[in-house]
C-alpha cells in the first residue's frame, strides 16, 4: 500500500471525508465560488485550502467579517451544498485511502469526522458506494468547536467506545492533524492528489 501507517494498536480508524476519503475539494471550491458570487463575496483558493476542515458556518462567518458583508449563514450554507450535490456524479475517491478502508472493513470500526454538514458527507459517501462501511458519522453540527479542537474526534471515539489512544486518524489538512494530536490520537497525513485547474488556481477545499 502506498499510504504507510504508523505502528500502533489501532482498534478504530477515524477519517476526515473531504480530501481524505473523497477527492471532493475541487467540487467544493466550485460550489463555494458559485454561491459566494451571488453575494459579491470572494474566496481565494489558497485561503480555501488553509481553512480545510473548518465548518461551513464558521467559513461564512469569517468571510463576512473579513469582507464586511452580512451574508445569511444558513441560506448560503444551503445554497453552497445544493451546488456541491449537483456535482456528485463527478466525485471520485482517494485510492490510497480506499485501500485501507477495503483492507480493514469488518475488522475494526470506522468513523467519519468532518467539518462538512451531514447531508454533504452522506452525499459524498453514497456517491462513492461507501456509506455502509462507516459505523459513525460525526459532522459539523454534531460538535461545537471545529478542528483544530479535538471535539469531533473525541466524540467519534466515544460513540465507537474505543479509547483515543487506540484510534488512528486519516487527515489531509494541518488543522485535522492538530485536532488528532489534541485528542491524543496518532494520525496519517493524506497527500492531496494533483488536480486540474478549478478556475482561478491549481488547487481547492471544503
Amino acid at each position: 500500500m502506498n499510504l504507510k501507517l504508523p505502528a500502533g494498536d489501532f482498534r478504530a480508524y477515524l477519517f476526515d471525508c473531504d480530501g481524505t476519503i473523497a477527492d471532493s475539494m475541487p467540487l467544493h471550491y466550485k460550489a463555494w465560488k458559485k454561491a459566494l458570487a451571488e453575494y459579491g463575496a470572494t474566496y481565494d483558493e489558497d485561503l480555501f485550502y488553509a481553512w480545510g476542515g473548518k465548518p461551513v458556518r464558521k467559513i461564512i462567518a469569517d468571510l463576512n467579517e473579513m469582507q464586511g458583508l452580512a451574508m445569511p449563514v444558513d441560506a448560503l450554507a444551503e445554497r453552497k451544498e445544493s451546488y456541491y450535490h449537483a456535482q456528485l456524479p463527478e466525485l471520485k475517491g482517494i485510492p490510497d485511502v480506499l485501500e485501507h478502508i477495503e483492507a480493514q472493513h469488518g475488522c475494526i470500526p470506522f468513523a467519519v469526522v468532518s467539518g462538512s454538514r451531514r447531508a454533504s458527507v452522506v452525499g459524498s459517501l453514497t456517491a462513492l458506494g461507501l456509506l455502509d462501511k462507516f459505523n459513525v458519522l460525526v459532522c459539523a453540527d454534531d460538535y461545537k468547536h471545529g478542528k483544530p479542537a479535538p471535539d469531533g474526534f473525541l466524540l467519534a471515539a466515544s460513540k465507537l467506545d474505543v479509547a483515543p489512544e487506540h484510534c488512528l486518524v486519516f487527515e489531509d489538512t494541518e488543522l485535522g492533524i492538530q485536532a488528532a494530536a489534541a485528542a491524543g490520537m496518532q494520525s496519517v497525513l493524506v497527500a492531496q492528489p494533483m488536480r486540474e485547474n478549478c478556475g482561478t488556481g491549481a488547487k481547492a477545499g471544503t
Side-chain angles (χ1 to χ4, degrees), residues 4 22 41 67 78 97 100 102 106 118 129 137 141 156 161 189 197 204:
K4 301 304 180 186
Q67 298 180 34
E78 292 290 347
V97 176
H100 288 283
E102 292 298 331
R118 183 168 295 268
L137 303 180
D141 294 333
D161 195 25
L189 180 64
N197 189 293

Side-chain angles (χ1 to χ4, degrees), residues 9-204:
D9 178 19
F10 301 121
R11 303 174 191 174
Y13 285 173
L14 312 185
F15 299 86
D16 174 54
C17 183
D18 296 302
T20 299
I21 298 171
D23 188 11
S24 53
M25 296 309 232
L27 306 186
H28 277 293
Y29 187 62
K30 290 176 185 177
W32 273 118
K33 292 282 284 185
K34 187 173 182 179
L36 290 168
E38 297 171 2
Y39 294 92
T42 60
Y43 195 1
D44 182 78
E45 263 187 316
D46 289 339
L47 181 61
F48 172 67
Y49 272 99
W51 282 0
K54 182 180 288 193
V56 171
R57 286 179 172 83
K58 175 65 171 164
I59 289 173
I60 297 169
D62 288 349
L63 289 174
N64 272 335
E65 184 176 354
M66 290 171 64
Q67 298 180 34
L69 299 171
M71 297 181 290
V73 174
D74 289 337
L76 177 53
E78 292 290 347
R79 194 76 165 161
K80 181 264 174 183
E81 290 304 318
S82 72
Y83 290 143
Y84 174 69
H85 280 268
Q87 301 176 87
L88 282 176
E90 304 173 38
L91 185 64
K92 299 187 184 310
I94 305 289
D96 290 350
V97 176
L98 298 185
E99 280 188 329
H100 288 283
I101 291 173
E102 292 298 331
Q104 289 297 318
H105 178 243
C107 300
I108 60 174
F110 296 158
V112 166
V113 180
S114 176
S116 292
R117 302 169 80 196
R118 183 168 295 268
S120 176
V121 172
V122 170
S124 296
L125 295 177
T126 300
L128 295 173
L130 297 173
L131 183 61
D132 64 348
K133 295 187 183 296
F134 294 90
N135 306 77
V136 167
L137 303 180
V138 174
C139 305
D141 294 333
D142 296 326
Y143 53 91
K144 183 176 181 180
H145 302 292
K147 303 168 187 177
D151 300 32
F153 288 125
L154 291 174
L155 178 58
S158 175
K159 286 179 175 290
L160 293 175
D161 195 25
V162 176
E165 61 267 27
H166 295 306
C167 295
L168 178 64
V169 170
F170 293 73
E171 264 284 357
D172 70 310
T173 69
E174 185 57 36
L175 285 179
I177 296 296
Q178 291 173 14
M185 301 175 183
Q186 290 195 67
S187 61
V188 56
L189 180 64
V190 178
Q192 283 289 316
M194 296 298 292
R195 61 186 83 257
E196 295 179 1
N197 189 293
C198 295
T200 62
K203 303 188 220 174

